[in-house]
């Protein structure tokens, strides 16, 4: 009886530690992407050179692809695909030389990232 209780406690501790590690990793990576998208938005509003904006968007997309591989192990693919789609839409607007049209997609991308962070947070609202 004592063995089972110890094993159960160890398993619960491991689950909670794993959840804490993945939540911190998720928050860190999604916050970084939110910052990148916000700075891209500021550059678009400052009317920077389109080629520079396209290059920055490609860097953001390449970084996102690397993070997406890891995040897809434990997050919903549907949510991650929404972010992927938004970044591609932004890049498309920039390549078509209409950077101002990408602002709503930037805002939606930032909102989706915030939604993912809230959805994956370890709190009572998400448990029940």
């Amino acid at each position: 009886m004592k063995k089972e209780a110890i094993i159960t406690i160890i398993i619960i501790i491991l689950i909670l530690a794993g959840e804490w590690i993945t939540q911190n990793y998720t928050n860190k990576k999604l916050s970084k992407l939110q910052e990148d998208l916000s700075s891209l938005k500021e550059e678009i509003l400052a009317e920077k050179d389109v080629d520079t904006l396209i290059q920055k968007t490609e860097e953001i997309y390449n970084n996102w692809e690397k993070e997406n591989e890891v995040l897809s192990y434990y997050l919903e693919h549907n949510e991650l695909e929404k972010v992927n789609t938004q970044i591609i839409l932004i890049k498309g607007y920039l390549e078509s030389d209409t950077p101002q049209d990408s602002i709503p997609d930037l805002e939606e991308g930032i909102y989706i990232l915030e939604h993912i962070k809230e959805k994956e947070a370890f709190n009572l609202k998400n448990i029940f």
Side-chain angles (χ1 to χ4, degrees), residues 33-44:
L33 183 59
Q34 278 181 310
E35 291 172 13
D36 290 345
L37 291 177
S38 294
S39 70
L40 179 64
K41 178 184 167 188
E42 291 172 10
E43 289 181 16
I44 290 171

Side-chain angles (χ1 to χ4, degrees), residues 40-41 43-44 48-58 60 87-103 106:
L40 179 64
K41 178 184 167 188
E43 289 181 16
I44 290 171
K48 297 270 185 168
D49 181 45
V50 175
D51 292 330
T52 306
L53 296 173
I54 291 172
Q55 183 179 12
K56 182 166 182 171
T57 306
E58 287 175 358
I60 291 171
I87 296 173
I88 291 172
L89 285 172
I90 294 164
K91 186 177 174 186
Y93 281 122
L94 294 174
E95 288 175 348
S96 67
D97 206 24
T98 55
Q100 295 295 328
D101 292 342
S102 67
I103 300 293
L106 274 165

Side-chain angles (χ1 to χ4, degrees), residues 34-85:
Q34 278 181 310
E35 291 172 13
D36 290 345
L37 291 177
S38 294
S39 70
L40 179 64
K41 178 184 167 188
E42 291 172 10
E43 289 181 16
I44 290 171
L45 292 174
E47 298 182 4
K48 297 270 185 168
D49 181 45
V50 175
D51 292 330
T52 306
L53 296 173
I54 291 172
Q55 183 179 12
K56 182 166 182 171
T57 306
E58 287 175 358
E59 289 173 13
I60 291 171
Y61 183 72
N62 290 337
N63 290 337
W64 170 247
E65 281 186 321
K66 291 175 191 172
E67 301 306 330
N68 189 19
E69 288 180 24
V70 177
L71 293 171
S72 65
Y73 285 120
Y74 60 91
L75 292 178
E76 289 183 40
H77 295 280
N78 184 16
E79 299 291 330
L80 299 175
E81 283 299 318
K82 289 177 185 177
V83 175
N84 198 33
T85 302

Side-chain angles (χ1 to χ4, degrees), residues 19 23 117-128:
E19 177 65 28
Q23 185 175 358
K117 287 195 312 189
E118 289 175 7
K119 188 175 177 183
E120 296 302 318
F122 187 65
N123 55 32
L124 289 176
K125 175 182 156 188
N126 291 340
I127 292 174
F128 295 109

